[in-house]
Structure formats: structure tokens, C-alpha cells
Amino acid sequence: MKKIGLLLVLFTLLFQNCNHDDCGACFTPAQSFSFEILDKLSGENLFTNGTYDAVNIKITDNLNNNEPIGFKFIAENNINLIDISSIGWKTEIVDLNISVSNTSIFDFYVDAQRKTGDCCSYTEYNAITVSNSEFELDTTTGIYKILVE
């Protein structure tokens, strides 16, 4: 009889710890930002046509002692994009300078706030700004087309 009582107590404790209102783990990753550097007049990608070389790309954070920022250069099918996926994983403000061959191409400012709500973590972007260059945002692909003279 003691064994049955002990089993009932263990069984009760085991299921008492279950929370039936738990909606499970939910996670939304931060947005990745992609940039295509184009000649303003011809529309040619300046990496594809050889004007720029990807090894000369430098991205620094103006707000954090010009600390280098990691990025990925995507060179598939002559698309040649600069991709920054490190922004927005935490609450932060970044003011990046993107340069190639020691020439500033554009600045990129993001005010991101990491939040949790409705059982999910996600990033809310309070501001996203491209400055010091003309640009177009392709809303279907999410790629910023930076226009260089």
C-alpha cells in the first residue's frame, strides 16, 4: 500500500509541474540586411563589373569606436551582395559606415529593440536609415540598391 501511495505522490508531483498554458517555444530571427552597390547611370553592379573588389569592403560602427562589423559577401550568379545579419539580435543602436577601398559608400543606421510577447521573441525596428548615398529599396527582395556616381 505504501508503494502505491508513493507512486501516486510521485505521479502527482510529476504532472503538477506541467503548465498547460505554455504555448511552446517561438523564435523569430532578426532581419538580415542586404546591399547591392550599383553604378547610378548604368545600373551595373560595381563588384560584378570589376570596379570594386570584395576584399576591400570595410564596415565599421561609428557609435562604437569604429569597431569592425562582420558581414558576408554573397557572390553567387554575379549577384554580388553585401549581407549584414548581426543587427537586431539584441536591443541596440548601430550607425555603420560601409566603405570600399577606403572610400565611404554609405552610412546605415538601425535602432532595434528585441522583444518578447505572445510567447515569441522578435525584433522591432524603430528606425532604419540609409544616408550619404542615393538608394532604392526593392520591397519584393528586401535588397537595398545603393546608387554610386
Side-chain angles (χ1 to χ4, degrees):
M1 192 67 155
K2 287 183 181 183
K3 289 182 183 180
I4 293 175
L6 182 59
L7 285 174
L8 283 174
V9 170
L10 287 174
F11 186 74
T12 303
L13 289 174
L14 178 67
F15 285 101
Q16 188 177 21
N17 290 330
C18 290
N19 184 352
H20 296 290
D21 295 332
D22 184 13
C23 57
C26 176
F27 176 77
T28 303
Q31 175 181 340
S32 179
F33 297 98
S34 296
F35 306 93
E36 184 175 17
I37 312 298
L38 304 174
D39 180 273
K40 183 178 177 180
L41 298 177
S42 70
E44 287 183 292
N45 184 300
L46 294 175
F47 291 99
T48 303
N49 73 11
T51 301
Y52 292 146
D53 188 340
V55 298
N56 297 318
I57 299 170
K58 185 177 177 183
I59 302 177
T60 57
D61 187 349
N62 297 326
L63 298 177
N64 197 10
N65 296 321
N66 294 321
E67 178 180 315
I69 300 297
F71 66 93
K72 180 172 49 171
F73 187 76
I74 302 169
E76 296 174 6
N77 301 320
N78 288 323
I79 293 175
N80 296 316
L81 299 173
I82 299 169
D83 184 73
I84 303 170
S85 58
S86 60
I87 302 170
W89 292 95
K90 61 183 179 181
T91 297
E92 64 184 330
I93 295 175
V94 296
D95 184 13
L96 307 181
N97 176 263
I98 293 80
S99 64
V100 181
S101 299
N102 296 318
T103 301
S104 179
I105 305 298
F106 68 100
D107 289 319
F108 187 61
Y109 175 89
V110 179
D111 177 354
Q113 188 173 15
R114 195 71 183 166
K115 293 186 168 187
T116 302
D118 295 330
C119 297
C120 293
S121 62
Y122 60 96
T123 303
E124 185 174 289
Y125 296 94
N126 301 316
I128 300 173
T129 307
V130 173
S131 59
N132 298 325
S133 183
E134 289 184 49
F135 75 96
E136 298 171 0
L137 173 60
D138 184 331
T139 55
T140 57
T141 63
I143 296 172
Y144 289 86
K145 296 177 182 235
I146 308 300
L147 307 174
V148 177
E149 289 189 31

